[in-house]
Amino acid sequence: MNGPTVEFAALCLVVLSVGALARHAKRRARADGGEYPGREGWFDAEALTDGVVRWTTTTNHRDVGLLYIAFGTFAALWGGIDGMMIRTELLTPPADIWTESTYNALFTTHGLTMLFFFVTPVFFGIGNYFIPLLVDAEDMAFPRVNAIGFWLLPPALLLARAGLLSQVSGQFLGLLAPDALAEVVRFFESIEAPGVGWTMYTPLSITVDNPQMDLLLLGLHLSGIGTVLGAINFVVTIVYERGPSIEWETLDIFSWTMLTTSGLVIFAFPLLGSALVMLLLDRNFGTTFFTVEGGGPLLWQHLFWYFGHPEVYIIFLPATGLMSFILPKFARRALFGFKYIVYSTLAIGVLSFGVWAHHMFATGIDPRIRASFMFVSIAIAVPSAIKVFNWLTTIWDGTVRLTAPMVLCVSSIGMFVVGGVTGVFLAAIPVDLLYHGTYYVVGHFHFIVMGIIPLMMFAASYFWYPIITGRLYDRELALFQSVLLVFGAVVAFGSLVVLGFMELPRRHAVYPEMFAPVQQVATVGAFLVGISVLLWLYNMIWSAWNGTPVRSADVWNLKETEQFTREWEWFEEELERKYAIEPTEPETTRSAAATEPGEGSPQVLTDVTSVTGAVRDNAAVAALGGLVGTLLLSGVLFPATIIGVFDLASFADLSELVGLPRSIALGYGLFLAGGMTTWALLFVALASYLPGRVLVVRGLSYATIVAAGFLVAFYSGQSGLELVGFVVFTLVAHWLYGFGLAATIQAVSLRGVER
């Protein structure tokens, strides 16, 4: 099949369908029998001219924000079509749907479109619309610069994606007059989407004979300029344009994350721009920045990833800000540990510039350098984990309302944990060397970029939809769409992680037959994600004209918990000014930071010292119980070694896995440490949810679950009676571990009560 034609036709179909839906929704008869204002006919030149002039000359921050969001949505649909075509090709092992060159081009354009033209513009659009409202500013600090920053993006996208338009134009002209326009057709068809990969690694990106490569570099450079202009505007607005009542300690969490994100943009994007210019010079003027005889191909990787990993946090931090802002509204509690979330955000911003070389562990760089980057890459997981624990604590014992935004928030936490944990493993050099070139990396990356990032965009669109449109969306459809989106994403990207464990190489259009079933499951999940996106788009467009009009600004009953924030106060004033809708007040209110059980935030919000002491005591008791349990477990494993059903060399494999010398003693030391820390603390955290009324019974239940992981991790090829013995000894050993762990904790607790 002709890939470019199919892609262009799909894009046109989506755009035309959206336009037709919007027009139908706008002209639909109202419930009172009237019609919405509008002239007859399908084309109104005067209205079109007025609309074009209005939207191309506006500098109002809300209008610019909507332009950003609309542009980012269009780019997402375009990049999403690329993704669907990639997954369609991977339905079958051979490249029999598109060609391999088309697959490579789709792989390239999908990544670049999503990262540069979808995620950042949408978050900048949300920030443009709401940050001035949240910081009590009249507008962005530089309204005209704000508009210019946006209007650099559409031509940048056209330059970056000109290959598709050029190919389709050449094919169309070839059908009209193949002989008369032969030279013109040849010119257009010479400009095709490059297939160098979205990272544009040299020397391939230098030597590829494709004019579109130069246009792509120019487009990315132009988009970087626009992004930096927007980031400068955010920094100046938040720092200097805040209202008199907004101090640093009262600045909302979303503004904090956008401020940090903007700082990352200001430092990271100029470096990318410099690297793109050097690559252009290498391609067109014979310079040697990235050639073997000059700076070398690895220089491009260093420069690209020095930008690239901060870019990951540029698109991730706004999502965490939205999570921290929206989640408490539906848990009906104040955000737990506000200051620590701010500190963790700033820590991520600083550490993000010190981890780029973990993308280059497989390049053969100095092992000492690799080790230093491994440590920092693991360390950067700590501030992210702080956010996760604070989000979970915010939900704990809260009055949770499972609306569409809350479903997306909770699901985002789960998907982010999976994406984060798989990333921590990749930060370890031995694991990265094994899985770097496999689908494991693709699954890890997409659990982040298709997990928390777009899910929080959808959550924000639902949460603030009444402010933007003055209407309510279809909540039942939104809830269904949210569940479908999460289910599809987990199926799609969970399958990619499984393919990674099976060591299937990534970036290939052709793969062995044995991987086809898992690839097909991943494709089904991806198409479920695509369907859910179309459902969201339908809900947003249809409800904009046919949703129930807002009758009260307190759409989410935020006044009951004193969480009616500044943007909603502005909306309330607008409703009163425009429609004479009087503000409403709830019959009862309580503080979102109340300390009563089941109401406000936990007491630990105001008593960190007692929590620290409790954590210390629990960790000490868990470590003691873990030591007793692990020693009991060892007493069974070593006899199992003697009779030949367990291999002590598995401990040596464990030490080697984490980068230590291969040693049974070191491996057993790690095993003992894990039994005293990870598994023991996990039991303390989960004990109240395990089956059994007595703590010891819960310990046995917990040990049975943990034993399954041990069986997989320490299986060394046993079969027959050896396998049966391995399973039996493992279960008995873990039951002793669970008994020792729980009994020790119980004994220490009872002794403390007696005292």
Side-chain angles (χ1 to χ4, degrees), residues 227-238:
T227 304
V228 170
L229 291 177
I232 293 172
N233 225 340
F234 280 123
V235 171
V236 177
T237 300
I238 294 172

Side-chain angles (χ1 to χ4, degrees), residues 125-150:
I126 296 172
N128 262 279
Y129 199 105
F130 289 102
I131 280 183
L133 303 180
L134 291 170
V135 302
D136 197 21
E138 292 293 329
D139 205 317
M140 296 293 284
F142 308 115
R144 290 182 176 83
V145 174
N146 196 34
I148 292 172
F150 166 76

